[in-house]
Amino acid sequence: MPDRSSRRSDLDRLAAAVLQVGFDGTTPPDWVLRELAGGLGGVVLFARNIDGDPADVVRRLREENPEVIVAADEEGGTVTRLEAARGSSWPGNAALGMLDDVARTERTAAEIGRLLAATGVTLDYAPDVDVNADPANPVIGVRSFGADPGLVARHAAAWVTGLQAQGVAACAKHFPGHGDTVTDSHLALPTLHASRELLERRDLPPFRAAVAAGVRAIMCGHLLVPALDPDLTATLSRRVMTDLLREELGFQGLLVTDAIEMKAVSARMSQPEVAVRALAAGADAICVGISSPGGENVAAMREAIAGAVRDGTLPESRLAEAADRVAALVAWTGGGPAGGPGVPLDPEYGVSRLGLESARLALRAVPGEGAVARPVLTRAPVVIEMTARPHQAIGDAPPYGPAEALAARLPGTTRVTLTPDHHAVPPLGGHGDAPPVLVTRDAHRHAWMRRVLAEVLRRRPDAVVIEMGLPGRPCGAVHLATGGDSRVSAIAAAEWLTSG
């Protein structure tokens, strides 16, 4: 019979196995290395961890625990971790949905898988398979393939297939669907006001398609869905996590929580309590995006999970089941992809050739009254970039606009950045000057952007407008919609404006 200290050690290792944690800095701190040596199951990489070759970070992690799951949010487009410094080589889901070419979507995901595999990442918190039913949604938007459930479902399956063919596990999110919400779950608890019939018809088909495609992981959203459970957030609801996802949809892979420091759950209870209750509801892995400087919150969660088993709050069989699913994902990836051929790059820009081609094809140009001669720009313009405060899923990455690409073609191009707090219209020049270029991101959601647009177009009706969020009402002498906020989308817009 094992002694008490041995049992405590076993429980601690089981509890550590179900945690996936982030850290600050470009070198894993000592507390992360200690947790890894003690059985920590997962580490999440963010842009803040990458300076130079991210594979170096992964190698250091695996020196302490060769079987650690290394996860990242690499969606392509707006949300990127490995390419955050310069912008994504792929235009993102909205652009792919606009093209509606499932073979292209599968190839795109395969290239992202190659990038991750070369780094040593084994779990990608992607694709986003939310149906963006509400254009006012503050956190999904261009991260979604679109507003049509059938379109989102077929591209979700293609994305999962392409990524997982590279040995990297996909993670469809945010179950049961974050698309019809007007609240960012990083900041508060969103409520999904939809009947069960509407959920079945609109929000669940993409998840069913992902399950049918063999998706290895699903991430639940911090959402209140009264039609499923009027009292508990989805993350804490057995009705949502087990009864619906496991029993009805038949998903048997790894069920991951969204980051538990998000205010949707952390404003209501402590992180250790969230972790214990999420596991009891059916989660297998607890994502902790932000850790204390010394990992104190991670240690507290590990201790709370083990303590909940000892006091009977959390059945040991449930914790063991969760740890077994973590181990199953590790076994599926072989402990870490070896990597294969690299991503074919465009020789001029150093980005994915496929991604740039997709961005060019996705570009939608609407001239104003009458035809517009091309090239539209022959002299260096002023680029006025309007950007709202980025949501936390994007992180600290800068917005990727066309100013740099335009400056490479038209030396002397200048950029003015406007924000919600500072958006006075700069000097615009006059007759004989190049038309100003206005860059918006979801102008339909931001009254201040629309006011700036109206003022600039009143003074310079020849202005060019580039919308890098969801396409809105065309305005300006030329209106370009990119369908995404990425480096390749910016390059495609700059090329269009400066080419005949």
Side-chain angles (χ1 to χ4, degrees):
M1 167 117 33
D3 61 26
R4 182 173 300 177
S5 63
S6 173
R7 173 170 169 73
R8 180 179 296 273
S9 176
D10 289 343
L11 283 180
D12 285 344
R13 293 189 73 85
L14 282 176
V18 301
L19 299 177
Q20 297 185 353
V21 307
F23 61 89
D24 289 333
T26 56
T27 302
D30 289 344
W31 72 263
V32 169
L33 301 179
R34 286 195 303 271
E35 292 288 347
L36 285 167
L40 180 66
V43 172
V44 189
L45 294 185
F46 293 89
R48 65 180 185 257
N49 305 127
I50 297 169
D51 181 17
D53 187 355
D56 292 340
V57 179
V58 177
R59 279 192 290 270
R60 183 67 188 97
L61 297 171
R62 291 218 162 91
E63 286 174 2
E64 297 297 334
N65 182 354
E67 296 189 340
V68 64
I69 292 172
V70 181
D73 291 276
E74 196 63 43
E75 299 177 10
T78 297
V79 177
T80 175
R81 303 301 186 231
L82 300 189
E83 294 193 301
R86 66 174 192 167
S88 179
S89 289
W90 298 275
N93 285 0
L96 293 173
M98 289 160 62
L99 294 175
D100 196 12
D101 179 345
V102 291
R104 181 174 295 273
T105 294
E106 183 174 335
R107 288 166 57 207
T108 298
E111 286 201 345
I112 292 174
R114 289 185 195 178
L115 176 70
L116 293 167
T119 303
V121 171
T122 47
L123 173 61
D124 188 5
Y125 292 153
D128 187 312
V129 304
D130 299 305
V131 178
N132 197 54
D134 190 340
N137 193 308
V139 70
I140 303 301
V142 293
R143 300 168 66 194
S144 167
F145 290 110
D148 176 74
L151 179 145
V152 176
R154 60 180 173 266
H155 286 274
W159 217 100
V160 167
T161 300
L163 184 81
Q164 294 190 164
Q166 307 305 310
V168 178
C171 181
K173 61 187 182 186
H174 306 81
F175 188 81
H178 206 322
D180 191 18
T181 61
V182 294
T183 302
D184 182 348
S185 51
H186 294 87
L187 307 176
L189 176 63
T191 298
L192 182 58
H193 297 288
S195 65
R196 178 59 192 263
E197 186 277 330
L198 180 56
L199 291 170
E200 286 285 353
R201 175 165 43 87
R202 182 191 65 193
D203 298 284
L204 294 182
F207 291 99
R208 293 185 184 276
V211 172
V215 70
R216 306 301 302 188
I218 287 178
M219 177 178 284
C220 65
H222 300 315
L223 311 163
L224 184 64
V225 190
L228 301 176
D229 190 325
D231 302 314
L232 295 175
T233 306
T235 311
L236 310 178
S237 172
R238 187 171 179 82
R239 295 182 190 177
V240 175
M241 305 272 271
T242 299
D243 296 349
L244 177 58
L245 182 56
R246 297 289 190 202
E247 296 180 5
E248 289 194 36
L249 271 64
F251 176 64
Q252 295 304 314
L254 188 75
L255 179 49
V256 187
T257 71
D258 210 341
I260 65 169
E261 72 273 8
M262 293 164 64
K263 296 299 183 184
V265 289
S266 65
R268 289 164 171 75
M269 62 189 71
S270 69
Q271 291 184 11
E273 185 178 358
V274 174
V276 170
R277 294 183 61 179
L279 287 164
D284 304 307
I286 308 299
C287 176
V288 189
I290 299 176
S291 302
S292 306
E296 294 85 359
N297 64 330
V298 174
M301 279 180 270
R302 172 173 45 75
E303 292 165 4
I305 293 166
V309 172
R310 285 192 290 270
D311 68 20
T313 304
L314 177 67
E316 185 172 357
S317 60
R318 172 78 272 275
L319 179 59
E321 178 185 51
D324 284 345
R325 288 203 177 105
V326 172
L329 186 71
V330 172
W332 181 84
T333 63
V343 174
L345 300 180
D346 177 87
E348 181 177 358
Y349 302 108
V351 297
S352 160
R353 284 205 303 260
L354 173 67
L356 183 55
E357 178 187 75
S358 298
R360 289 166 174 160
L361 292 172
L363 196 66
R364 301 291 185 262
V366 180
E369 294 182 6
V372 174
R374 292 178 61 191
V376 177
L377 298 176
T378 57
R379 299 180 305 282
V382 174
V383 180
I384 304 170
E385 290 205 18
M386 291 180 267
T387 181
R389 298 178 184 87
H391 56 76
Q392 291 181 38
I394 295 176
D396 297 328
Y400 311 112
E404 180 181 351
L406 284 171
R409 291 170 168 266
L410 299 171
T413 295
T414 59
R415 173 169 55 190
V416 177
T417 301
L418 305 185
T419 68
D421 300 320
H422 301 93
H423 53 262
V425 176
L428 299 173
H431 181 72
D433 293 317
V437 177
L438 293 91
V439 182
T440 57
R441 294 169 175 84
D442 289 341
H444 67 282
R445 293 200 301 111
H446 302 289
W448 70 271
M449 289 189 188
R450 297 193 296 274
R451 287 195 295 270
V452 171
L453 280 170
E455 174 63 16
V456 171
L457 292 173
R458 182 184 66 79
R459 292 159 53 183
R460 291 295 302 267
D462 61 336
V464 173
V465 178
I466 304 175
E467 173 57 72
M468 300 193 75
L470 290 178
R473 178 180 298 176
C475 59
V478 178
H479 186 275
L480 298 181
T482 64
D485 185 1
S486 71
R487 187 179 181 208
V488 289
S489 299
I491 291 170
E495 286 180 333
W496 195 94
L497 291 170
T498 56
S499 301

